Amino acid sequence: MLLALAVDRTGSGLWAASSVLYLTFVTHLSAQQIGVLLGVAGVAGIAGSPLAGRLAGRFPVRPLLIGCHLLRLVTLALVLMCDGFDALLPVVAVTYLGDRAAKTLEMLFATRTAGARRVAYQALSRSAANAGYGLGAGIAALGLAVGTGGAYRALILGNALSFLVAAVLVWRTNEPREETVEVAGAANGPRPEPQPEPLRSEPHPQPLPHPHPHPQPLPHPHPHPQPLSQSQPHPQPLSQPQRPARRASPWRDRGYLTFVLLDIPMNLDDSVLGVGLPLWLVNRTSAPHALVPVFLVINTVMVVALQISVSARAEGPRRATRAVLLYGGLMFVCCAFLAVATRGGTWVATAVLLAAALVVTLAELMRSVSSWELAVLLAPENARAEYLGVAGMSQSIQKSAGPPLLTGVVMAAGPAGWLVLGALVAGLSAVQRRACVRRLRTLAPPAAQGTARAATAP
């Protein structure tokens, strides 16, 4: 599964490093059109996470994930046949739908596989994914160095073929079936079948009371046993609450929906790295275009090298909520670097943009661990698949709102727009942390609330 994830992300690295430049120099779309295209595609991707979560609750994850890979294989092949904005819009939208669904299915697969060690498994999957991203970015750097239309098209084709390879690898992977094991255990566990045996032996004690009439008159002189019969209705109400418990729904859980809503701006690092940095470099600085894949290489190397250690330091509710605050501070620093990048020449812009890529990667490390851990901790165990499907919507909504926000508002406002964006993300990170701490204390049982307060205390 980790190999399939790495192959998938290798193709995604090709797309991330070359898509903006492909849309700019091959299909000749403007920055605003690219922002709208990716934004509308992100809106379509919003449905991918809850749809995948609902289907994963009814069907095995493996065939669903294979279907998502094959769907993206077809849509990316169609991208190479489309030239205009109108033709690209529905194709890229369906691609994003399959992409978000696949990521949710991969997260559910990791949760079922790792169990309580989900944080360590997530760290390994992130490392494998980013290793693939790095390989894809390195291959993309060669294509961008050539700089021809054929080279750009070859990179998109390589992304499409990666989904075919990933589908084959997933098909050869065995899916854990924890639910089946639990059902089997439940079937074997309740073994009250020996009860019919005492029923067969009950006829023997029944004839014994008949030769002894004494037990029959004894109840009559004592009226106390009669009130005992009146007290018998008390155990009866105990059977009334045995109604089928309503399955928890994330759509009726205001606390969890608040977490998902505030988690949207906590994912803006993705749009900043994939859209903001490349377009800001091309349109507002004199830095070389070949620097675009270098951003992804920096991102990949840092994540592979630091993901496991960072995840170990961010495990648990207290550390996860602290990572949210660190994310806001790092995003503010990154936006400040982008605002300064326009004030120097080629070398200054290059150095500042590389520093921004480094800082936004640190923010991604904070977000990848805290968002994952909190999404699981804040969800009830009996409906975790549906809750995680809704939690995945925050990334989908960010992918839809992030690109047009950056291209149409932040970049249009110039350096000041980046500073305002950084300040807003930093402020919302403090609000998110406070909301998560409050919900964690609410979910803790009364006996453990004191421990929960200590675990989530600053």
Side-chain angles (χ1 to χ4, degrees), residues 1-3 5-6 110 114 117-132 303-304 307-309 311:
M1 185 63 189
L2 292 177
L3 180 59
L5 186 65
R117 302 184 62 185
R118 57 183 177 274
V119 176
Y121 189 93
Q122 172 69 358
L124 292 175
S125 64
R126 289 288 300 174
S127 297
N130 283 279
V303 171
V304 171
Q307 181 70 66
I308 295 178
S309 61
S311 63

Side-chain angles (χ1 to χ4, degrees), residues 13-15 17-19 21-22 25-26 134-158 289-294 297:
L14 293 173
W15 172 264
S18 60
S19 60
L21 299 182
Y22 174 86
F25 297 112
V26 177
L135 179 60
I139 298 173
L142 300 176
L144 296 179
V146 176
T148 63
Y152 287 126
R153 290 185 176 89
L155 296 177
I156 302 301
L157 179 61
H289 296 176
L291 198 65
V292 173
V294 178
V297 172

Side-chain angles (χ1 to χ4, degrees), residues 225-277:
Q226 297 177 358
L228 290 176
S229 62
Q230 297 176 358
S231 62
Q232 292 177 357
H234 294 286
Q236 296 178 358
L238 293 177
S239 60
Q240 296 179 358
Q242 295 178 355
R243 300 175 181 177
R246 177 187 296 181
R247 185 178 180 86
S249 172
W251 301 107
R252 294 189 295 265
D253 193 333
R254 294 183 179 180
Y256 201 83
L257 291 178
T258 300
F259 162 75
V260 175
L261 179 64
L262 292 174
D263 197 46
I264 296 172
M266 302 297 107
N267 284 270
L268 275 174
D269 61 278
D270 179 72
S271 291
V272 170
L273 179 66
V275 179
L277 272 171

Side-chain angles (χ1 to χ4, degrees), residues 360-457:
V360 77
T361 300
L362 293 175
E364 178 189 346
L365 288 169
M366 297 296 105
R367 183 261 303 170
S368 63
V369 175
S370 63
S371 179
W372 165 273
E373 181 71 0
L374 291 173
V376 175
L377 289 175
L378 300 179
E381 295 183 2
N382 60 347
R384 182 165 289 170
E386 295 183 10
Y387 271 71
L388 291 179
V390 174
M393 290 181 61
S394 60
Q395 297 182 19
S396 301
I397 296 174
Q398 185 280 140
K399 284 184 175 293
S400 64
L405 172 67
L406 296 181
T407 59
V409 179
V410 176
M411 295 174 60
W418 287 110
L419 294 175
V420 172
L421 177 66
L424 286 176
V425 173
L428 290 175
S429 67
V431 177
Q432 173 73 309
R433 180 192 178 277
R434 190 179 303 111
C436 290
V437 170
R438 187 183 306 113
R439 178 173 172 85
L440 287 170
R441 292 174 178 174
T442 303
L443 293 177
Q449 287 184 356
T451 305
R453 292 190 181 95
T456 56

Side-chain angles (χ1 to χ4, degrees), residues 7-386:
V7 172
D8 180 0
R9 296 303 189 271
T10 299
S12 299
L14 293 173
W15 172 264
S18 60
S19 60
V20 172
L21 299 182
Y22 174 86
L23 296 173
T24 300
F25 297 112
V26 177
T27 61
H28 305 289
L29 300 183
S30 64
Q32 288 73 22
Q33 286 179 319
I34 293 174
V36 173
L37 175 68
L38 298 179
V40 174
V43 172
I46 293 175
S49 292
L51 178 62
R54 181 175 293 273
L55 292 176
R58 301 179 180 179
F59 304 99
V61 174
R62 185 176 64 171
L64 296 175
L65 186 56
I66 293 174
C68 290
H69 288 323
L70 296 180
L71 174 64
R72 290 181 290 173
L73 168 65
V74 174
T75 55
L76 281 179
L78 293 176
V79 167
L80 297 173
M81 304 177 186
C82 301
D83 294 328
F85 175 83
D86 296 336
L88 284 169
L89 186 60
V91 176
V92 177
V94 176
T95 303
Y96 271 58
L97 174 67
D99 183 73
R100 290 310 314 159
K103 284 182 170 57
T104 300
L105 293 173
E106 290 167 350
M107 183 170 61
L108 293 175
F109 188 92
T111 301
R112 294 180 181 181
T113 301
R117 302 184 62 185
R118 57 183 177 274
V119 176
Y121 189 93
Q122 172 69 358
L124 292 175
S125 64
R126 289 288 300 174
S127 297
N130 283 279
Y133 269 123
L135 179 60
I139 298 173
L142 300 176
L144 296 179
V146 176
T148 63
Y152 287 126
R153 290 185 176 89
L155 296 177
I156 302 301
L157 179 61
N159 184 20
L161 294 177
S162 71
F163 295 131
L164 177 61
V165 177
V168 174
L169 292 174
V170 172
W171 176 70
R172 299 181 61 182
T173 303
N174 293 326
E175 178 180 353
R177 299 181 178 180
E178 295 179 358
E179 296 179 359
T180 305
V181 175
E182 292 174 1
V183 172
N188 298 330
R191 298 178 180 176
E193 297 180 356
Q195 292 179 357
E197 297 179 359
L199 291 177
R200 296 176 182 176
S201 61
E202 285 178 9
H204 300 285
Q206 287 178 0
L208 292 176
H210 295 288
H212 301 284
H214 301 287
Q216 296 179 356
L218 287 176
H220 299 287
H222 300 285
H224 301 287
Q226 297 177 358
L228 290 176
S229 62
Q230 297 176 358
S231 62
Q232 292 177 357
H234 294 286
Q236 296 178 358
L238 293 177
S239 60
Q240 296 179 358
Q242 295 178 355
R243 300 175 181 177
R246 177 187 296 181
R247 185 178 180 86
S249 172
W251 301 107
R252 294 189 295 265
D253 193 333
R254 294 183 179 180
Y256 201 83
L257 291 178
T258 300
F259 162 75
V260 175
L261 179 64
L262 292 174
D263 197 46
I264 296 172
M266 302 297 107
N267 284 270
L268 275 174
D269 61 278
D270 179 72
S271 291
V272 170
L273 179 66
V275 179
L277 272 171
L279 289 179
W280 191 251
L281 181 150
V282 172
N283 297 321
R284 300 299 294 269
T285 71
S286 58
H289 296 176
L291 198 65
V292 173
V294 178
F295 296 152
L296 292 180
V297 172
I298 292 175
N299 176 270
T300 299
V301 172
M302 290 183 60
V303 171
V304 171
L306 302 176
Q307 181 70 66
I308 295 178
S309 61
V310 170
S311 63
R313 297 180 180 180
E315 187 174 0
R318 181 177 181 178
R319 294 176 177 179
T321 53
R322 281 186 176 181
V324 175
L325 283 181
L326 290 175
Y327 176 88
L330 290 170
M331 284 298 295
F332 178 79
V333 174
C334 172
C335 291
F337 279 140
L338 290 172
V340 176
T342 59
R343 296 183 175 273
T346 300
W347 291 105
V348 173
T350 299
V352 173
L353 290 174
L354 289 175
L358 186 148
V359 175
V360 77
T361 300
L362 293 175
E364 178 189 346
L365 288 169
M366 297 296 105
R367 183 261 303 170
S368 63
V369 175
S370 63
S371 179
W372 165 273
E373 181 71 0
L374 291 173
V376 175
L377 289 175
L378 300 179
E381 295 183 2
N382 60 347
R384 182 165 289 170
E386 295 183 10

